[in-house]
């Protein structure tokens, strides 16, 4: 039976590559997720799965742990679950993937069409090709291979595609709020066929710095907000260095040279070359260790900004504003003694002939919701690729095929299968 399923993955391989190309060719940056979700929903319906589609009601999520407040609307931005009903008596598995991708700018840095899904030497290029449309293709085609091989699972499988993994996790949180709960969750994020055991937390901060604007002819008497932001940016870098000191690292992070990144990801100021900018705004993505209280991390960040401001004669009287929005993601550990890790290790060993490795990531994933707030054993296991969030993102296609086989095996083992 297993051989039939593995053969079915190979037989469906060309179709899987085309499907992944179809995903990459549907740009799905923030607010533009409907087209790809509708396309996936059609595919899941054609496979005979029960398709559930919903939009997020932030009011219903607000009181839940892990909620991230946003400044935008969820209208027209669906989340999905396709349910493959088992025959009964087996454990259930939820496979989750995020359809959202980050911006492709600056686009002139790309040597491949970011929305083209071009294939060169076994790699598919494009935004989301690795992170994580390849994982979504793998989880859907693992189910297709089971169906083609005539395998009926005992437990239910949920194929869950969500929005906003890259900024809030609201799609995953809303899946839980909608009542979905499985015996285990696997997220095929592109971590090179490793099993995830720990991830950092993430906060987003926005710092608004006031200057005194003027015509450039009197610039020497004005206060340029760009220059007033500089000591505050310096304070961010100093705090980042402090939290990465070896003695500040929890044990599992000791071998990671720089686990906590305080990334200044946006800086906006000025709109006219002959005007002194009256305001500068910068945004920082703040990493945290698992177990750190987000309110403490926020307070520490804000204190440092204010301390730096008080050392400046202008800023002392015009204190910056610090707010936190979107990502309020706690760090999370995923105990490798949980059963799903053993099942995944067996499936990985059977397909690749090598033992599975564990991974810690200096990024966040939606895995935190299922593990921390639902108490469901969770990990990530997905394909290999590179240049995530950068130009020329790519995925290694053979790793996608391998992950598809591992997920198919995992479903048969975890959920149980009737011949
Ligand atoms: Zn991802």
């Amino acid at each position: 039976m297993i051989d039939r399923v593995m053969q079915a993955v190979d037989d469906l391989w060309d179709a899987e590559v085309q499907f992944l190309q179809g995903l990459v060719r549907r740009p799905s940056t923030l607010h533009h997720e409907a087209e790809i979700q509708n396309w996936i929903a059609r595919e899941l319906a054609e496979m005979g799965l029960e398709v559930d589609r919903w939009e997020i009601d932030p009011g219903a999520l607000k009181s839940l742990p892990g909620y991230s407040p946003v400044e935008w609307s969820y209208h027209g931005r669906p989340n999905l679950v396709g349910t493959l009903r088992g025959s009964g008596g087996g454990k259930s598995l939820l496979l989750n993937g995020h359809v959202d991708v980050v911006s492709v700018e600056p686009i002139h840095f790309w040597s491949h069409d970011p929305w083209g899904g071009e294939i060169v030497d076994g790699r598919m290029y494009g935004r989301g090709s690795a992170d994580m449309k390849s994982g979504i293709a793998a989880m859907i085609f693992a189910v297709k291979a089971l169906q083609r091989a005539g395998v009926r699972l005992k437990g239910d499988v949920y194929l869950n595609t969500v929005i906003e993994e890259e900024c809030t996790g609201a799609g995953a949180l809303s899946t839980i709020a909608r009542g979905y709960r499985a015996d285990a969750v696997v997220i095929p994020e592109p971590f090179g066929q490793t099993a995830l055991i720990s991830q950092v937390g993430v906060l987003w901060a926005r710092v608004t710095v006031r200057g005194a604007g003027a015509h450039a002819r009197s610039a020497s008497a004005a206060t340029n907000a760009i220059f007033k932001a500089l000591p505050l940016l310096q304070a961010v870098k100093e705090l980042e260095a402090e939290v990465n000191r070896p003695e500040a690292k929890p044990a599992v992070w000791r071998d990671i040279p720089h686990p906590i990144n305080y990334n200044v990801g946006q800086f906006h100021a000025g709109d006219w070359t002959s005007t002194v900018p009256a305001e500068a705004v910068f945004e920082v993505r703040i990493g945290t260790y698992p177990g750190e209280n987000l309110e403490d991390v926020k307070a520490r960040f804000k204190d440092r900004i204010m301390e730096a401001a008080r050392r400046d004669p202008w800023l002392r009287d015009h204190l910056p504003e610090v707010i936190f929005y979107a990502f309020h993601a706690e760090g999370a550990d995923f105990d490798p003694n949980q059963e799903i890790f053993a099942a995944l290790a067996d499936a990985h060993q059977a397909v690749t002939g090598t033992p599975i490795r564990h991974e810690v990531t200096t990024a966040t994933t939606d895995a935190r919701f299922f593990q921390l707030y639902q108490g469901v054993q969770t990990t990530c296991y997905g394909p290999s690729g590179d240049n995530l969030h950068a130009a020329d993102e790519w995925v290694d296609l053979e790793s996608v095929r391998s992950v598809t086989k591992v997920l198919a095996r995992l479903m048969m083992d975890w959920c149980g299968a009737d011949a």
Side-chain angles (χ1 to χ4, degrees), residues 98 100 131-132 165-166 189-191 364-365 388-389:
H98 65 87
D100 56 313
D131 185 12
M132 61 168 285
E165 187 271 349
E166 299 285 4
E189 288 275 11
F191 296 152
T364 182
T365 76
L388 281 57
H389 294 217

